[in-house]
Amino acid sequence: MRNQSVPFVSSIILGIDPGSAVTGYGVIAIQSHGFTPIDYGCIRPPRANKLSERFVVIYDSIGELIEIHNPDAVVVEMQFFYKNAQSALTLGMAKGAVMIASKKKGVPVFHYSPPVAKKAVTGTGRASKYQVQRMVQQRLNLAALPPADSADALALAICHAQAAEHVKARKEV
Amino acid sequence: MRNQSVPFVSSIILGIDPGSAVTGYGVIAIQSHGFTPIDYGCIRPPRANKLSERFVVIYDSIGELIEIHNPDAVVVEMQFFYKNAQSALTLGMAKGAVMIASKKKGVPVFHYSPPVAKKAVTGTGRASKYQVQRMVQQRLNLAALPPADSADALALAICHAQAAEHVKARKEV
């Protein structure tokens, strides 16, 4: 089915920038001539939801995205240094939801730190949110600037797609 | 089935002390005369497993425990202050696995901080691991001292069982 809509696809990658409030996602196809955007957007569990229900929304949404797009890899932002341990805990729960949803569907999970993903797309690990949005728009030939969370997710997908050549740490977690 | 093995059960509680290496669990039944231990132990995902696979092991194991014991509530240790943000992130993933597994089975999730759980069982929020083990053994009339991780999980279950009377924060998360 994938090959009907996007010709010569060798690989589909789902990038995810997890968060308990907003989880950005972006799907790209690797083709012989470059990358093609397939889908991108944000998962926003209702704010009135209990914390545990929000993670179920993330878990279910990732499962749905995997069923729709059948990716070969899921790529998650993974940062191991946080100023705030409480936000690290909540983010950990969201990342856990993404990892389990992916593995339960049989899709391998890879991770990259934000500087590595930024560098892969913009050339610098210290790029601003806006620079990432601009470069993702340009690389994927998008008509509009993607929202910041989706842009980060698309950047992760692009980073992974380039990993064989440009990034050493292509490690399944 | 529950009522065949344990008479006059009004409620079954599954306490869980999540961790990426060791996740302790303990199941108790609330009866008219007090608490009865049903089961306790530890989930230890193979150390050779990738991080994402470990969370799947935790997720699946919690799902199995829920199917076996059919608890009315899952109680998770929840600490919001960590010295180390990296361990908070990993713990968050483990907690996320527990919360999603429970909600997917339709079981409500409650949380208590370690001092609240310790106080509920030992009378002091600053009890040592050993004091918790001893008091849990005594309260549940166990022949042997339960392992520390299981004792923490059993303490959470006891804490929740007592919550209506002794603890103000009985909040589903």
Side-chain angles (χ1 to χ4, degrees):
Chain A
M1 187 175 149
R2 157 194 314 179
N3 291 315
Q4 287 169 3
S5 50
V6 186
F8 312 118
V9 168
S10 66
S11 203
I12 300 273
I13 301 175
L14 167 57
I16 300 169
D17 180 19
S20 61
V22 182
T23 292
Y25 65 88
V27 185
I28 65 169
I30 306 177
Q31 294 175 282
S32 52
H33 65 273
F35 310 130
T36 303
I38 304 286
D39 188 15
Y40 64 85
C42 292
I43 301 160
R44 294 177 190 273
R47 302 191 100 191
N49 273 15
K50 297 186 189 91
L51 204 54
S52 54
E53 285 166 357
R54 283 198 224 161
F55 299 127
V56 172
V57 170
I58 295 171
Y59 178 90
D60 288 342
S61 303
I62 299 299
E64 281 167 29
L65 283 170
I66 289 172
E67 282 188 8
I68 293 167
H69 298 294
N70 193 21
D72 300 283
V74 165
V75 190
V76 184
E77 182 178 294
M78 195 61 82
Q79 193 166 1
F80 278 111
F81 299 98
Y82 291 94
K83 288 182 193 155
N84 182 331
Q86 182 169 342
S87 60
L89 182 78
T90 314
L91 262 173
M93 295 180 198
K95 286 175 206 286
V98 170
M99 295 206 303
I100 297 166
S102 306
K103 298 296 282 187
K104 294 298 277 183
K105 297 278 184 194
V107 185
V109 181
F110 298 84
H111 77 229
Y112 300 92
S113 70
V116 169
K118 282 179 182 177
K119 191 171 182 190
V121 174
T122 68
T124 167
R126 304 172 125 197
S128 68
K129 284 260 175 203
Y130 180 70
Q131 282 176 292
V132 172
Q133 289 171 278
R134 286 287 298 165
M135 283 306 294
V136 164
Q137 180 184 18
Q138 195 176 314
R139 292 288 295 273
L140 297 176
N141 205 15
L142 301 171
L145 198 69
D149 293 292
S150 306
D152 285 346
L154 288 165
L156 284 161
I158 292 170
C159 173
H160 186 68
Q162 294 178 164
E165 299 141 50
H166 299 296
V167 182
K168 281 177 188 166
R170 183 170 178 162
K171 197 171 76 171
E172 194 189 348
V173 287
Chain B
M1 186 172 147
R2 155 193 315 181
N3 291 316
Q4 286 167 4
S5 52
V6 185
F8 314 119
V9 167
S10 66
S11 202
I12 300 271
I13 301 174
L14 167 58
I16 300 169
D17 181 18
S20 61
V22 182
T23 292
Y25 66 86
V27 185
I28 66 169
I30 305 177
Q31 294 176 283
S32 52
H33 65 274
F35 310 129
T36 303
I38 305 286
D39 187 14
Y40 64 85
C42 293
I43 301 160
R44 294 178 191 274
R47 301 191 100 191
N49 274 14
K50 296 186 188 91
L51 203 55
S52 55
E53 285 166 355
R54 283 200 222 159
F55 299 126
V56 172
V57 170
I58 296 170
Y59 178 91
D60 288 343
S61 303
I62 299 299
E64 281 167 28
L65 283 170
I66 289 172
E67 282 187 10
I68 292 167
H69 298 295
N70 193 20
D72 301 284
V74 165
V75 191
V76 184
E77 183 179 296
M78 194 61 80
Q79 194 166 0
F80 278 111
F81 301 98
Y82 292 91
K83 287 181 193 157
N84 182 331
Q86 181 169 342
S87 60
L89 181 78
T90 314
L91 262 173
M93 294 180 199
K95 286 174 205 286
V98 169
M99 295 207 304
I100 297 166
S102 306
K103 298 296 282 189
K104 292 299 276 182
K105 296 280 185 194
V107 185
V109 181
F110 298 84
H111 77 230
Y112 300 92
S113 69
V116 169
K118 283 179 181 177
K119 189 169 184 191
V121 174
T122 69
T124 166
R126 306 171 124 199
S128 68
K129 284 261 175 201
Y130 180 70
Q131 282 177 293
V132 173
Q133 288 171 279
R134 286 286 300 164
M135 284 306 293
V136 164
Q137 180 184 17
Q138 195 175 316
R139 293 287 296 272
L140 297 176
N141 205 17
L142 301 172
L145 198 69
D149 294 292
S150 306
D152 284 347
L154 288 165
L156 284 161
I158 292 170
C159 174
H160 186 67
Q162 293 178 165
E165 299 141 50
H166 298 296
V167 183
K168 283 178 186 163
R170 183 170 179 162
K171 196 171 77 171
E172 193 187 348
V173 288

